[in-house]
Amino acid sequence: MNNEKIKSAPNFIKNIIEEDLKSGKHTHIVTRFPPEPNGYLHIGHAKAICINFGLAAEFNGECNLRFDDTNPEKENAEFVNSIQEDIKWLGFQWHDKAKYASDYFDQLYDFALFFINNGLAYVCDLDANQMKQYRGTYTEDGVNSPNRNRSVAENLELFNNMKLGKYADGSKTLRLKIDMSSPNINLRDPVIYRIKRAHHIRTGDKWCIYPMYDYTHCISDALESITHSCCSLEFEDHRPLYDWIVAHLYAAKLLPCHPQQIEFSRLELLYTVTSKRKLNQLIQEKVVSGWNDPRLPTISGMRRRGYTANGIKLFAQRCGVSKSPNIIDFEFLENAIREELENEAIRVMAVIKPLKITLINFDATTKSKSVPFHQHQALHGERELTLTKEIYIEQSDFMERPIENWQRLAPGKEIRLRHSYIIKCEQVIKNNANEIIELKCSLDPLTLGANPQGRKVKGVIHWVSCTLALPVKLRMYDRLFTTARPHGEISDFNHNSLVEINALIEPDATKVQPETRLQFERIGYFIADRYDSKPLAPIFNKIVDLKNTWLEKNK
């Protein structure tokens, strides 16, 4: 699967790259996507994937996949596998084999020794609370650690003992010696190593000290000769530390290059949350079924919901790349998906709330018809649509006392059955509770694929055969939260975000494979669930309405 080479709209990152190529600063572009394997990727990651892989493809460069596996307590192989699957499903392929921060643990340790030997790092005994007190605030300078002036020899011995596991977790750290009075708190002697006895998914129990992200990430970028390290705007204040670390190692000729960090605004999608911590909380509290729950904004969840890879990429492209806030309504995502489904999804008929019709003049001369699965896409083929004496229509398509301009079925009124004959309601049958349970209708035998002579008939309704239609389960999904900018609290949770209903569908629709997308005419777009569907017994997830009706429904 190759990265799609789509020429994106102009943006400030493209301008930087174009200028770097023009000036000769770079002749080959290398970007990277560096997820932490502590959860599934979400819509925000999808935007970052499109940016990093997209830029590399557009400028004939390369994009590395590098797992930031520096926090072993929260990482596992399931997350590694899901991340790789999601990237491939979106249509991208990383350069060479997948890389890991742990690939560089030995070099990172050696670089830490370099900083100690040059008087630029020291072992600190302060615990987390003490370190916070010493760090200062945005208006007050920090205070030097009492361990800041330890000798190089003492720091080397202590750091080696940290590596050998001679100290308790959290009892010591290795810190860079930069400036405790810097207005940028990230430069106030940041921690670059901590003691943590945790089994690592790749290195096992080899290490009991692990490097911090800010230290690891910039060095990994340089070791991989990344030219443009694109990340979200929250890391803008971390860039001076990124540059400080790389500059010292590059000047000592320990690194092959000095990558450029460039920040862009992160995506905030309304009516959902993208914090892995909050997503994991929803999972642990069983509010949702798992990381691939179709209500979640995870790539795996969106795929199961029925969103298309191209629809997600179209959405990411329309979000743009800038430093200004990127606050996007959920409707914007649904519109992109809806556009992609218009040509892709086959059309079939389904009935949710059935009302029985008996065709009183149905006989052996009544014909069926071969009709396309998609009116404008012949490549989807055709199916035989068999009319039977008894059919179901939607209850909402009949009105006993019709309102003005009613264009569906009513007593004495004619209507066309989709892909079939014109019928007329002759009689309404009710039960003892005065509820309508059946309609007796006649059909015009001359109107199969033809207009009636001498009169106009307005309106078309869908239907299914009573004897041929098959029962299925539909999962009707809605927004995960009731408030536009939720905090991930249960009080904000939309308890109607999943409603399961029964439906009757055309028999051909039950033959579809998992992940087949369909439009149930006049109802919405659906997909056969990739996990729960069985042969001839699919479970359909609602992808999106045929048009945006959410605001109208939730006034």
Side-chain angles (χ1 to χ4, degrees):
M1 199 178 307
N2 298 319
N3 298 341
E4 290 194 5
K5 190 172 180 181
I6 302 174
K7 189 171 179 60
S8 60
N11 61 67
F12 77 99
I13 299 180
K14 279 186 62 176
N15 293 341
I16 291 172
I17 293 175
E18 287 171 349
E19 183 59 36
D20 287 347
L21 291 171
K22 182 179 178 182
S23 68
K25 178 181 178 181
H26 297 296
T27 58
H28 185 67
I29 301 303
V30 184
T31 62
R32 85 291 168 270
F33 176 64
E36 184 179 357
N38 63 350
Y40 280 48
L41 300 182
H42 54 64
I43 188 67
H45 293 116
K47 175 185 174 182
I49 289 169
C50 290
I51 290 173
N52 285 291
F53 283 90
L55 287 169
E58 190 167 344
F59 290 98
N60 295 312
E62 300 161 357
C63 183
N64 291 346
L65 169 62
R66 180 177 69 244
F67 290 98
D68 168 34
D69 54 344
T70 57
N71 195 9
E73 288 179 316
K74 298 181 179 180
E75 300 160 358
N76 62 52
E78 175 191 350
F79 298 141
V80 169
N81 293 335
S82 73
I83 288 169
Q84 294 185 80
E85 182 180 350
D86 287 345
I87 294 171
K88 290 180 179 179
W89 178 75
L90 283 173
F92 298 108
Q93 179 61 54
W94 49 91
H95 173 66
D96 200 14
K97 64 180 181 180
K99 297 174 173 57
Y100 297 80
S102 55
D103 293 339
Y104 313 120
F105 276 0
D106 288 316
Q107 291 164 283
L108 290 164
Y109 180 82
D110 290 341
F111 293 150
L113 295 179
F114 164 83
F115 284 115
I116 293 174
N117 280 312
N118 284 274
L120 296 172
Y122 62 96
V123 174
C124 183
D125 299 339
L126 297 179
D127 62 28
N129 289 329
Q130 292 170 324
M131 200 174 296
K132 184 177 180 180
Q133 294 172 3
Y134 275 66
R135 187 177 293 122
T137 66
Y138 289 108
T139 57
E140 296 180 354
D141 290 350
V143 178
N144 287 345
S145 164
N147 310 125
R148 199 172 195 265
N149 293 320
R150 279 174 165 158
S151 67
V152 169
E154 184 180 7
N155 282 317
L156 288 173
E157 181 181 2
L158 290 170
F159 189 50
N160 183 59
N161 288 339
M162 286 172 61
K163 179 187 178 185
L164 295 175
K166 293 186 177 182
Y167 308 121
D169 286 13
S171 62
K172 296 183 187 298
T173 59
L174 182 68
R175 300 174 67 181
L176 293 176
K177 188 186 293 186
I178 304 181
D179 184 2
M180 290 302 293
S181 63
S182 172
N184 187 330
I185 292 179
N186 294 296
L187 295 179
R188 295 182 185 178
D189 291 10
V191 172
I192 60 171
Y193 268 93
R194 80 282 198 197
I195 304 172
K196 183 183 290 289
R197 286 170 175 79
H199 186 80
H200 192 279
I201 58 174
R202 299 187 73 245
T203 62
D205 298 318
K206 176 182 177 181
W207 297 90
C208 64
I209 57 172
Y210 289 97
M212 302 297 287
Y213 173 82
D214 278 345
Y215 174 71
T216 305
H217 181 70
C218 58
I219 294 174
S220 301
D221 279 353
L223 289 172
E224 294 174 12
S225 296
I226 302 301
T227 57
H228 300 85
S229 180
C230 304
C231 57
S232 55
L233 205 55
E234 64 197 278
F235 291 101
E236 185 175 34
D237 290 340
H238 296 246
R239 190 187 339 132
L241 176 58
Y242 183 108
D243 290 335
W244 189 95
I245 293 171
V246 174
H248 280 83
L249 295 172
Y250 182 64
K253 299 183 179 180
L254 297 174
L255 292 177
C257 67
H258 188 143
Q260 180 181 2
Q261 178 175 301
I262 307 171
E263 307 86 16
F264 58 88
S265 58
R266 67 182 303 169
L267 172 65
E268 180 184 353
L269 186 63
L270 298 181
Y271 292 99
T272 191
V273 293
T274 53
S275 160
K276 286 184 183 178
R277 179 182 60 81
K278 292 179 180 178
L279 291 173
N280 190 50
Q281 180 183 355
L282 293 172
I283 294 165
Q284 295 303 316
E285 295 179 3
K286 300 189 184 304
V287 177
V288 295
S289 61
W291 286 99
N292 61 11
D293 189 296
R295 292 168 289 180
L296 293 184
T298 57
I299 295 176
S300 183
M302 292 187 292
R303 176 182 178 178
R304 187 175 182 185
R305 174 79 173 263
Y307 290 4
T308 65
N310 283 338
I312 293 172
K313 287 188 282 191
L314 177 62
F315 166 75
Q317 186 181 53
R318 289 176 175 174
C319 287
V321 181
S322 70
K323 287 183 176 287
S324 57
N326 200 203
I327 303 170
I328 306 295
D329 197 298
F330 204 89
E331 175 190 342
F332 198 65
L333 171 59
E334 290 182 325
N335 283 340
I337 301 302
R338 196 178 285 116
E339 283 186 38
E340 288 297 315
L341 292 173
E342 171 61 31
N343 290 324
E344 177 183 328
I346 63 175
R347 272 70 164 147
V348 295
M349 293 187 288
V351 170
I352 295 175
K353 294 183 178 180
L355 174 60
K356 182 180 178 182
I357 287 180
T358 299
L359 299 171
I360 57 178
N361 61 333
F362 185 94
D363 58 32
T365 64
T366 306
K367 298 177 181 178
S368 299
K369 186 180 179 183
S370 181
V371 298
F373 275 113
H374 194 298
Q375 195 170 0
H376 305 294
Q377 300 289 332
L379 58 91
H380 290 302
E382 295 189 349
R383 84 277 196 192
E384 188 73 15
L385 195 57
T386 303
L387 185 68
T388 55
K389 184 176 181 65
E390 296 176 330
I391 62 172
Y392 291 121
I393 66 168
E394 287 287 353
Q395 293 178 14
S396 58
D397 282 338
F398 176 78
M399 187 173 287
E400 188 174 15
R401 295 178 180 83
I403 59 176
E404 187 176 357
N405 297 321
W406 177 253
Q407 292 190 9
R408 281 172 273 180
L409 198 59
K413 180 178 172 60
E414 289 186 308
I415 199 78
R416 181 177 288 280
L417 296 176
R418 178 74 162 150
H419 300 306
S420 193
Y421 296 91
I422 287 174
I423 64 170
K424 180 179 180 181
C425 180
E426 306 288 358
Q427 183 182 1
V428 178
I429 309 298
K430 298 183 179 181
N431 60 17
N432 293 334
N434 203 37
E435 298 169 331
I436 299 172
I437 59 172
E438 185 180 354
L439 304 176
K440 301 286 188 179
C441 297
S442 60
L443 63 82
D444 185 337
L446 301 178
T447 56
L448 182 63
N451 292 322
Q453 295 296 316
R455 64 193 191 279
K456 283 189 175 181
V457 176
K458 294 183 179 180
V460 178
I461 60 175
H462 64 280
W463 57 278
V464 295
S465 163
C466 289
T467 53
L468 300 178
L470 297 174
V472 295
K473 180 186 292 184
L474 305 184
R475 292 170 176 164
M476 311 296 281
Y477 291 105
D478 202 347
R479 285 157 174 67
L480 190 59
F481 293 97
T482 57
T483 54
R485 303 181 84 165
H487 299 292
E489 304 298 331
I490 301 301
S491 58
D492 296 327
F493 180 70
N494 177 10
H495 294 282
N496 293 317
S497 59
L498 168 59
V499 177
E500 292 188 348
I501 63 175
N502 296 317
L504 294 164
I505 63 173
E506 290 182 41
D508 285 289
T510 64
K511 299 175 185 177
V512 299
Q513 297 297 314
E515 292 200 279
T516 300
R517 298 175 180 85
L518 311 90
Q519 182 196 110
F520 291 152
E521 297 195 37
R522 297 174 58 217
I523 298 175
Y525 290 103
F526 289 78
I527 187 172
D529 188 90
R530 64 186 297 218
Y531 296 108
D532 296 337
S533 292
K534 297 178 181 178
L536 299 181
I539 293 176
F540 290 99
N541 301 329
K542 184 178 180 181
I543 307 171
V544 68
D545 288 320
L546 298 180
K547 60 181 181 179
N548 179 41
T549 59
W550 191 85
L551 288 176
E552 183 179 332
K553 290 187 296 184
N554 290 273
K555 285 182 179 178

